[in-house]
Amino acid sequence: MSEMVEPVVILDTFVQGVGRVEEIAANLFRVSYYANQRAYDGSQERVCVAKFIVTADTMVAMANATGAREAARRLMGESHSPMN
């Protein structure tokens, strides 16, 4: 795999889960990610923090990579798993 180039600073976005997956065309999906925050009335609300349009193969690769990291984290007894 080649080195990833980051020509400008890209801020980190905290994500707590996948909110919605929509098929927008053949083999293309819009994936929404959310983070929880406290609403004005004190309840919790989910706020969309990012959306990506990806192919089905990319969705599977992302799910596999995330699952493998999560399994390794659990085996090692770590409390969190940074995404590389």
Side-chain angles (χ1 to χ4, degrees):
M1 182 179 280
S2 63
E3 183 74 25
M4 183 172 66
V5 176
E6 191 172 339
V8 297
V9 174
I10 299 173
L11 299 177
D12 292 334
T13 301
F14 183 71
V15 173
Q16 291 178 292
V18 176
R20 182 182 302 161
V21 177
E22 306 166 87
E23 186 173 12
I24 59 173
N27 196 39
L28 286 178
F29 296 85
R30 179 183 297 120
V31 182
S32 300
Y33 296 90
Y34 70 86
N36 293 318
Q37 73 176 19
R38 185 169 302 175
Y40 290 114
D41 64 1
S43 64
Q44 289 286 314
E45 62 185 3
R46 296 190 318 178
V47 178
C48 182
V49 293
K51 288 184 181 180
F52 295 100
I53 296 176
V54 297
T55 64
D57 290 342
T58 300
M59 267 193 357
V60 170
M62 288 167 54
N64 288 338
T66 302
R69 284 190 200 102
E70 185 67 16
R73 181 192 66 79
R74 287 184 182 144
L75 285 173
M76 300 298 289
E78 296 176 5
S79 61
H80 69 282
S81 177
M83 299 297 279
N84 295 348

Coordinates of all heavy atoms in Angstrom, one line a residue:
M1 N 0.8 -1.2 0.0 CA 0.0 0.0 0.0 C 0.9 1.2 0.0 O 1.9 1.3 0.7 CB -0.9 0.0 1.2 CG -1.9 1.1 1.3 SD -2.9 1.1 2.7 CE -4.1 -0.1 2.2
S2 N 0.5 2.2 -0.8 CA 1.3 3.5 -0.9 C 1.0 4.4 0.3 O 0.0 4.3 1.0 CB 1.1 4.2 -2.2 OG -0.3 4.6 -2.2
E3 N 2.0 5.3 0.5 CA 1.8 6.3 1.6 C 0.6 7.2 1.3 O 0.4 7.6 0.1 CB 3.1 7.2 1.6 CG 3.1 8.2 2.7 CD 3.3 7.6 4.1 OE1 3.9 6.5 4.2 OE2 2.9 8.2 5.1
M4 N -0.2 7.5 2.3 CA -1.3 8.4 2.1 C -0.8 9.9 2.2 O -0.1 10.2 3.2 CB -2.4 8.2 3.2 CG -3.6 9.0 3.0 SD -5.0 8.6 4.1 CE -4.3 9.0 5.7
V5 N -1.3 10.7 1.3 CA -0.9 12.1 1.3 C -2.0 12.9 1.8 O -3.2 12.7 1.5 CB -0.6 12.6 -0.2 CG1 -0.3 14.0 -0.2 CG2 0.6 11.7 -0.7
E6 N -1.7 13.8 2.8 CA -2.7 14.7 3.3 C -2.3 16.2 3.0 O -1.6 16.8 3.8 CB -2.8 14.5 4.8 CG -4.0 15.2 5.5 CD -4.2 14.8 6.9 OE1 -3.7 13.7 7.3 OE2 -4.9 15.6 7.6
P7 N -2.7 16.7 1.8 CA -2.2 18.0 1.4 C -2.7 19.2 2.3 O -2.0 20.2 2.3 CB -2.7 18.2 0.0 CG -3.9 17.3 -0.1 CD -3.7 16.1 0.9
V8 N -3.7 19.0 3.0 CA -4.2 20.1 3.9 C -4.6 19.3 5.2 O -4.8 18.1 5.2 CB -5.4 20.8 3.4 CG1 -5.1 21.6 2.2 CG2 -6.6 19.9 3.2
V9 N -4.6 20.1 6.3 CA -5.0 19.5 7.6 C -6.5 19.1 7.5 O -7.3 19.9 7.1 CB -4.8 20.5 8.7 CG1 -5.3 19.9 10.0 CG2 -3.3 20.8 8.8
I10 N -6.8 17.9 7.8 CA -8.2 17.4 7.8 C -8.5 17.1 9.3 O -7.9 16.3 9.9 CB -8.4 16.1 7.0 CG1 -8.0 16.5 5.5 CG2 -9.8 15.6 7.1 CD1 -8.0 15.3 4.6
L11 N -9.5 17.8 9.8 CA -9.9 17.7 11.2 C -10.5 16.3 11.5 O -11.2 15.7 10.6 CB -10.9 18.8 11.6 CG -10.4 20.2 11.5 CD1 -11.5 21.2 11.8 CD2 -9.1 20.4 12.3
D12 N -10.2 15.8 12.7 CA -10.8 14.5 13.1 C -12.2 14.8 13.4 O -12.6 15.8 13.9 CB -10.1 13.9 14.3 CG -8.7 13.5 14.0 OD1 -8.4 13.1 12.9 OD2 -7.9 13.5 15.0
T13 N -13.1 13.8 13.1 CA -14.5 13.9 13.4 C -14.8 12.7 14.3 O -14.6 11.5 13.9 CB -15.4 13.8 12.1 OG1 -15.0 14.9 11.3 CG2 -16.8 13.9 12.4
F14 N -15.4 12.9 15.5 CA -15.8 11.9 16.4 C -17.1 11.2 15.9 O -18.1 11.9 15.6 CB -16.0 12.5 17.8 CG -16.3 11.4 18.8 CD1 -15.3 10.5 19.2 CD2 -17.6 11.3 19.3 CE1 -15.6 9.6 20.2 CE2 -17.8 10.4 20.3 CZ -16.9 9.5 20.7
V15 N -17.0 9.9 15.7 CA -18.2 9.2 15.2 C -18.5 8.1 16.3 O -17.6 7.4 16.8 CB -17.8 8.5 13.9 CG1 -18.9 7.6 13.4 CG2 -17.6 9.6 12.8
Q16 N -19.8 7.9 16.6 CA -20.2 6.9 17.5 C -20.9 5.7 16.9 O -21.1 4.7 17.5 CB -21.0 7.5 18.6 CG -20.2 8.4 19.5 CD -21.0 9.0 20.6 OE1 -21.8 9.9 20.3 NE2 -20.8 8.6 21.9
G17 N -21.4 5.9 15.6 CA -22.1 4.8 15.0 C -22.5 5.2 13.6 O -22.4 6.3 13.1
V18 N -23.1 4.2 12.9 CA -23.6 4.3 11.6 C -25.1 4.6 11.7 O -25.8 3.9 12.4 CB -23.4 3.0 10.7 CG1 -24.1 3.2 9.4 CG2 -21.9 2.7 10.6
G19 N -25.5 5.7 11.1 CA -26.9 6.1 11.3 C -27.8 5.6 10.2 O -28.9 5.0 10.5
R20 N -27.4 5.7 9.0 CA -28.3 5.3 7.9 C -27.5 4.8 6.7 O -26.4 5.4 6.4 CB -29.2 6.4 7.5 CG -30.2 6.1 6.4 CD -31.0 7.3 6.0 NE -31.7 7.8 7.2 CZ -32.2 9.0 7.2 NH1 -32.1 9.9 6.3 NH2 -32.9 9.4 8.3
V21 N -27.9 3.8 6.0 CA -27.3 3.3 4.8 C -28.3 3.3 3.7 O -29.4 2.7 3.9 CB -26.6 1.9 5.0 CG1 -26.0 1.5 3.6 CG2 -25.6 1.9 6.0
E22 N -28.1 4.1 2.7 CA -29.1 4.2 1.6 C -28.5 3.8 0.3 O -27.4 4.3 0.0 CB -29.6 5.7 1.5 CG -30.1 6.3 2.7 CD -30.3 7.8 2.6 OE1 -31.3 8.2 2.1 OE2 -29.3 8.5 2.9
E23 N -29.2 3.0 -0.5 CA -28.7 2.7 -1.8 C -29.2 3.8 -2.7 O -30.3 4.1 -2.9 CB -29.3 1.3 -2.3 CG -28.7 0.9 -3.6 CD -29.1 -0.5 -4.0 OE1 -30.0 -1.1 -3.4 OE2 -28.5 -1.0 -5.0
I24 N -28.2 4.5 -3.4 CA -28.5 5.6 -4.2 C -28.4 5.3 -5.7 O -28.9 6.0 -6.5 CB -27.7 6.8 -3.9 CG1 -26.2 6.6 -4.0 CG2 -28.0 7.3 -2.5 CD1 -25.3 7.8 -3.8
A25 N -27.7 4.2 -6.0 CA -27.6 3.8 -7.4 C -27.1 2.3 -7.3 O -26.7 1.8 -6.3 CB -26.6 4.6 -8.2
A26 N -27.0 1.7 -8.5 CA -26.5 0.3 -8.5 C -25.1 0.3 -8.0 O -24.2 1.1 -8.5 CB -26.5 -0.2 -9.9
N27 N -24.8 -0.4 -6.9 CA -23.5 -0.6 -6.3 C -23.0 0.7 -5.6 O -21.8 0.8 -5.3 CB -22.5 -1.1 -7.3 CG -21.2 -1.6 -6.6 OD1 -21.3 -2.3 -5.6 ND2 -20.1 -1.4 -7.2
L28 N -23.8 1.7 -5.4 CA -23.4 2.9 -4.6 C -24.3 3.1 -3.5 O -25.5 3.1 -3.6 CB -23.4 4.1 -5.5 CG -22.3 4.3 -6.6 CD1 -22.5 5.5 -7.4 CD2 -21.0 4.3 -5.9
F29 N -23.7 3.4 -2.3 CA -24.5 3.6 -1.1 C -24.0 4.8 -0.4 O -22.8 5.2 -0.3 CB -24.2 2.4 -0.1 CG -24.7 1.1 -0.7 CD1 -23.9 0.3 -1.5 CD2 -26.0 0.6 -0.3 CE1 -24.4 -0.9 -2.0 CE2 -26.5 -0.6 -0.9 CZ -25.7 -1.3 -1.7
R30 N -25.0 5.6 0.2 CA -24.7 6.7 1.0 C -24.7 6.2 2.5 O -25.7 5.7 3.0 CB -25.7 7.8 0.9 CG -25.4 9.0 1.8 CD -26.5 10.1 1.6 NE -26.5 10.7 0.3 CZ -27.6 10.6 -0.5 NH1 -28.7 10.0 -0.1 NH2 -27.6 11.1 -1.7
V31 N -23.6 6.4 3.2 CA -23.5 5.9 4.6 C -23.4 7.2 5.5 O -22.5 8.0 5.3 CB -22.2 5.0 4.8 CG1 -22.2 4.5 6.2 CG2 -22.3 3.9 3.8
S32 N -24.3 7.3 6.4 CA -24.3 8.4 7.4 C -23.7 8.0 8.7 O -24.1 6.9 9.2 CB -25.7 9.0 7.5 OG -26.2 9.4 6.3
Y33 N -22.9 8.8 9.3 CA -22.3 8.5 10.6 C -22.8 9.5 11.6 O -23.0 10.7 11.2 CB -20.8 8.5 10.5 CG -20.2 7.4 9.7 CD1 -20.0 7.7 8.3 CD2 -19.9 6.2 10.2 CE1 -19.6 6.7 7.5 CE2 -19.5 5.2 9.4 CZ -19.3 5.4 8.0 OH -18.8 4.4 7.2
Y34 N -23.0 9.1 12.9 CA -23.5 10.1 13.9 C -22.7 10.1 15.1 O -21.9 9.2 15.4 CB -25.0 9.7 14.2 CG -25.1 8.4 15.0 CD1 -25.0 8.5 16.4 CD2 -25.3 7.2 14.4 CE1 -25.1 7.3 17.1 CE2 -25.5 6.1 15.1 CZ -25.3 6.1 16.5 OH -25.5 4.9 17.2
A35 N -22.9 11.1 15.9 CA -22.4 11.2 17.3 C -23.5 11.6 18.2 O -24.4 12.3 17.7 CB -21.2 12.3 17.4
N36 N -23.5 11.2 19.4 CA -24.6 11.6 20.3 C -24.2 12.9 21.0 O -23.1 13.2 21.2 CB -24.7 10.5 21.4 CG -25.2 9.2 20.9 OD1 -26.1 9.2 20.1 ND2 -24.7 8.1 21.3
Q37 N -25.2 13.7 21.3 CA -25.0 14.9 22.0 C -26.3 15.2 22.9 O -27.4 14.6 22.6 CB -24.8 16.1 21.1 CG -26.0 16.6 20.4 CD -25.6 17.9 19.6 OE1 -24.5 18.2 19.3 NE2 -26.6 18.6 19.2
R38 N -26.1 16.0 23.9 CA -27.3 16.3 24.7 C -28.1 17.4 24.1 O -27.6 18.4 23.6 CB -26.8 16.8 26.1 CG -27.9 17.1 27.1 CD -27.4 17.3 28.4 NE -26.7 16.1 28.8 CZ -26.0 16.0 29.9 NH1 -26.0 16.9 30.8 NH2 -25.3 14.9 30.2
A39 N -29.4 17.2 24.0 CA -30.3 18.2 23.4 C -30.6 19.2 24.4 O -30.3 19.1 25.6 CB -31.6 17.5 22.9
Y40 N -31.3 20.3 24.0 CA -31.6 21.4 24.9 C -32.5 21.0 26.0 O -32.5 21.5 27.1 CB -32.3 22.5 24.1 CG -31.4 23.3 23.2 CD1 -31.5 23.2 21.8 CD2 -30.3 24.0 23.7 CE1 -30.6 23.9 21.0 CE2 -29.4 24.7 22.9 CZ -29.6 24.6 21.5 OH -28.7 25.2 20.7
D41 N -33.4 20.0 25.8 CA -34.3 19.5 26.8 C -33.6 18.5 27.8 O -34.3 17.9 28.6 CB -35.6 18.9 26.2 CG -35.4 17.7 25.4 OD1 -34.2 17.2 25.3 OD2 -36.3 17.2 24.8
G42 N -32.3 18.2 27.6 CA -31.6 17.2 28.4 C -31.6 15.8 27.9 O -30.9 15.0 28.4
S43 N -32.4 15.5 26.9 CA -32.4 14.2 26.3 C -31.1 14.0 25.3 O -30.4 15.0 25.1 CB -33.6 13.9 25.5 OG -33.7 14.8 24.4
Q44 N -30.9 12.8 24.9 CA -29.8 12.5 23.9 C -30.4 12.6 22.5 O -31.5 12.1 22.3 CB -29.2 11.2 24.2 CG -28.4 11.1 25.5 CD -27.1 11.7 25.3 OE1 -26.4 11.6 24.4 NE2 -26.8 12.5 26.4
E45 N -29.6 13.2 21.6 CA -30.0 13.1 20.2 C -28.8 12.7 19.4 O -27.6 12.9 19.8 CB -30.5 14.5 19.8 CG -29.5 15.6 19.9 CD -30.1 17.0 19.5 OE1 -31.3 17.1 19.2 OE2 -29.3 18.0 19.5
R46 N -29.1 12.1 18.2 CA -28.0 11.7 17.3 C -27.9 12.7 16.2 O -28.8 13.1 15.6 CB -28.3 10.3 16.7 CG -28.4 9.2 17.7 CD -28.4 7.8 17.2 NE -29.3 7.7 16.1 CZ -29.5 6.5 15.4 NH1 -28.8 5.5 15.8 NH2 -30.3 6.4 14.4
V47 N -26.6 13.2 16.1 CA -26.4 14.3 15.1 C -25.5 13.7 14.0 O -24.5 13.1 14.2 CB -25.6 15.4 15.8 CG1 -25.3 16.5 14.7 CG2 -26.5 16.0 16.9
C48 N -25.9 13.9 12.7 CA -25.1 13.4 11.6 C -23.8 14.2 11.5 O -23.9 15.4 11.5 CB -25.9 13.5 10.3 SG -25.0 12.9 8.9
V49 N -22.7 13.5 11.5 CA -21.4 14.2 11.5 C -20.6 14.0 10.2 O -19.6 14.7 10.0 CB -20.5 13.9 12.7 CG1 -21.2 14.4 14.0 CG2 -20.3 12.4 12.8
A50 N -21.0 13.0 9.4 CA -20.3 12.7 8.2 C -21.2 11.8 7.3 O -22.0 11.1 7.8 CB -19.0 12.0 8.4
K51 N -21.1 12.0 6.0 CA -21.7 11.2 5.0 C -20.7 10.8 3.9 O -19.9 11.7 3.5 CB -22.9 11.9 4.3 CG -24.1 12.1 5.2 CD -25.2 12.7 4.4 CE -26.4 12.9 5.2 NZ -27.5 13.5 4.4
F52 N -20.7 9.5 3.5 CA -19.8 9.1 2.5 C -20.6 8.3 1.4 O -21.6 7.6 1.8 CB -18.7 8.1 3.0 CG -17.8 8.8 4.0 CD1 -17.9 8.6 5.3 CD2 -16.7 9.6 3.5 CE1 -17.0 9.2 6.2 CE2 -15.8 10.2 4.3 CZ -16.0 10.0 5.7
I53 N -20.2 8.4 0.2 CA -20.8 7.6 -0.9 C -19.7 6.6 -1.3 O -18.6 7.0 -1.6 CB -21.3 8.5 -2.1 CG1 -22.4 9.4 -1.6 CG2 -21.7 7.6 -3.2 CD1 -22.9 10.3 -2.7
V54 N -20.1 5.3 -1.1 CA -19.1 4.3 -1.3 C -19.7 3.1 -2.1 O -20.9 3.0 -2.2 CB -18.6 3.7 0.1 CG1 -17.9 4.8 0.8 CG2 -19.7 3.1 0.9
T55 N -18.8 2.3 -2.7 CA -19.3 1.1 -3.4 C -19.6 0.0 -2.4 O -19.2 0.1 -1.2 CB -18.2 0.6 -4.4 OG1 -17.1 0.2 -3.6 CG2 -17.9 1.7 -5.4
A56 N -20.3 -1.0 -2.8 CA -20.6 -2.1 -1.9 C -19.3 -2.8 -1.4 O -19.2 -3.2 -0.3 CB -21.5 -3.1 -2.6
D57 N -18.3 -2.9 -2.3 CA -17.0 -3.5 -1.9 C -16.3 -2.7 -0.9 O -15.7 -3.3 0.1 CB -16.1 -3.7 -3.1 CG -16.5 -4.7 -4.1 OD1 -17.4 -5.6 -3.8 OD2 -16.1 -4.7 -5.3
T58 N -16.4 -1.4 -1.0 CA -15.8 -0.5 0.0 C -16.5 -0.6 1.4 O -15.9 -0.7 2.4 CB -15.8 1.0 -0.4 OG1 -15.1 1.1 -1.6 CG2 -15.2 1.9 0.6
M59 N -17.8 -0.7 1.3 CA -18.6 -0.9 2.6 C -18.2 -2.2 3.3 O -18.0 -2.2 4.5 CB -20.1 -1.0 2.3 CG -20.7 0.4 2.4 SD -22.5 0.4 2.5 CE -23.1 -1.2 2.3
V60 N -18.0 -3.3 2.5 CA -17.6 -4.6 3.1 C -16.2 -4.5 3.7 O -15.9 -4.9 4.8 CB -17.7 -5.7 2.0 CG1 -17.0 -7.0 2.5 CG2 -19.1 -5.9 1.7
A61 N -15.3 -3.8 3.0 CA -13.9 -3.7 3.4 C -13.9 -2.8 4.7 O -13.2 -3.2 5.7 CB -13.0 -3.0 2.4
M62 N -14.7 -1.8 4.8 CA -14.7 -0.9 6.0 C -15.3 -1.7 7.2 O -14.7 -1.6 8.3 CB -15.6 0.3 5.7 CG -15.0 1.3 4.8 SD -16.1 2.6 4.2 CE -16.8 3.3 5.7
A63 N -16.3 -2.5 6.9 CA -16.9 -3.3 8.0 C -15.9 -4.4 8.5 O -15.8 -4.6 9.7 CB -18.2 -4.0 7.5
N64 N -15.2 -5.0 7.6 CA -14.2 -6.0 8.0 C -13.1 -5.4 8.7 O -12.6 -6.0 9.7 CB -13.7 -6.8 6.7 CG -14.7 -7.7 6.2 OD1 -15.7 -8.1 6.8 ND2 -14.6 -8.0 4.9
A65 N -12.6 -4.3 8.3 CA -11.5 -3.6 9.0 C -11.9 -3.2 10.4 O -11.1 -3.4 11.3 CB -11.0 -2.4 8.2
T66 N -13.1 -2.6 10.5 CA -13.6 -2.2 11.8 C -13.8 -3.4 12.7 O -13.4 -3.4 13.9 CB -14.9 -1.4 11.7 OG1 -14.6 -0.3 10.8 CG2 -15.4 -0.9 13.0
G67 N -14.4 -4.4 12.2 CA -14.6 -5.7 13.0 C -13.3 -6.3 13.5 O -13.2 -6.7 14.6
A68 N -12.3 -6.3 12.6 CA -11.0 -6.9 13.0 C -10.3 -6.1 14.1 O -9.8 -6.7 15.0 CB -10.1 -7.0 11.8
R69 N -10.4 -4.8 14.0 CA -9.8 -3.9 15.0 C -10.6 -4.1 16.4 O -10.0 -4.2 17.4 CB -9.9 -2.4 14.6 CG -8.9 -2.1 13.6 CD -8.8 -0.5 13.4 NE -8.2 -0.2 12.2 CZ -8.9 0.2 11.1 NH1 -10.2 0.3 11.1 NH2 -8.2 0.4 10.0
E70 N -11.9 -4.2 16.3 CA -12.7 -4.4 17.5 C -12.4 -5.7 18.2 O -12.2 -5.8 19.4 CB -14.2 -4.3 17.1 CG -15.1 -4.3 18.3 CD -15.0 -3.1 19.2 OE1 -14.4 -2.1 18.8 OE2 -15.4 -3.2 20.4
A71 N -12.3 -6.7 17.4 CA -11.9 -8.1 17.9 C -10.6 -8.0 18.6 O -10.4 -8.6 19.7 CB -12.0 -9.1 16.8
A72 N -9.6 -7.4 18.0 CA -8.2 -7.3 18.5 C -8.2 -6.5 19.8 O -7.6 -6.9 20.8 CB -7.3 -6.7 17.5
R73 N -9.0 -5.4 19.8 CA -9.1 -4.6 21.0 C -9.7 -5.4 22.2 O -9.2 -5.4 23.3 CB -10.0 -3.4 20.8 CG -10.2 -2.5 22.0 CD -11.3 -1.5 21.8 NE -12.6 -2.1 21.7 CZ -13.3 -2.5 22.8 NH1 -12.8 -2.4 24.0 NH2 -14.5 -3.0 22.6
R74 N -10.7 -6.2 21.9 CA -11.3 -7.0 23.0 C -10.3 -8.0 23.5 O -10.3 -8.3 24.7 CB -12.6 -7.6 22.5 CG -13.7 -6.7 22.3 CD -15.0 -7.3 21.9 NE -16.1 -6.4 21.8 CZ -17.0 -6.4 20.9 NH1 -17.0 -7.4 20.0 NH2 -17.9 -5.5 20.8
L75 N -9.6 -8.7 22.6 CA -8.6 -9.7 23.0 C -7.5 -9.1 23.9 O -7.1 -9.8 24.8 CB -8.0 -10.4 21.8 CG -8.9 -11.4 21.1 CD1 -8.3 -11.8 19.8 CD2 -9.2 -12.6 21.9
M76 N -7.1 -7.9 23.5 CA -6.0 -7.2 24.3 C -6.5 -6.5 25.5 O -5.7 -6.1 26.3 CB -5.3 -6.2 23.4 CG -4.7 -6.8 22.1 SD -3.4 -8.0 22.5 CE -2.2 -6.9 23.1
G77 N -7.8 -6.5 25.7 CA -8.4 -5.8 26.9 C -8.3 -4.3 26.9 O -8.3 -3.7 28.0
E78 N -8.2 -3.7 25.7 CA -8.1 -2.3 25.6 C -9.4 -1.6 25.8 O -10.4 -2.2 25.4 CB -7.4 -1.9 24.3 CG -6.0 -2.4 24.1 CD -5.4 -2.1 22.8 OE1 -6.1 -1.4 22.0 OE2 -4.3 -2.5 22.5
S79 N -9.5 -0.4 26.3 CA -10.7 0.3 26.5 C -11.2 1.0 25.3 O -12.3 1.4 25.2 CB -10.6 1.2 27.7 OG -9.6 2.2 27.4
H80 N -10.3 1.3 24.3 CA -10.7 1.9 23.1 C -9.8 1.5 22.0 O -8.7 0.9 22.2 CB -10.6 3.4 23.2 CG -9.2 4.0 23.4 ND1 -8.5 3.9 24.5 CD2 -8.4 4.6 22.5 CE1 -7.3 4.4 24.4 NE2 -7.2 4.8 23.1
S81 N -10.2 1.7 20.7 CA -9.4 1.3 19.6 C -9.2 2.5 18.6 O -10.2 2.8 18.0 CB -10.1 0.1 18.9 OG -9.4 -0.3 17.8
P82 N -8.1 3.1 18.5 CA -7.9 4.2 17.6 C -7.9 3.6 16.2 O -7.4 2.6 15.9 CB -6.5 4.7 17.9 CG -5.8 3.6 18.6 CD -6.8 2.8 19.3
M83 N -8.6 4.4 15.3 CA -8.6 4.0 13.9 C -7.3 4.5 13.2 O -6.9 5.6 13.4 CB -9.8 4.7 13.2 CG -11.2 4.3 13.8 SD -11.5 2.5 13.6 CE -12.1 2.5 11.9
N84 N -6.7 3.6 12.5 CA -5.4 4.0 11.8 C -5.7 4.8 10.6 O -6.4 4.5 9.8 CB -4.6 2.8 11.5 CG -4.1 2.1 12.8 OD1 -4.3 2.7 13.9 ND2 -3.6 0.9 12.7

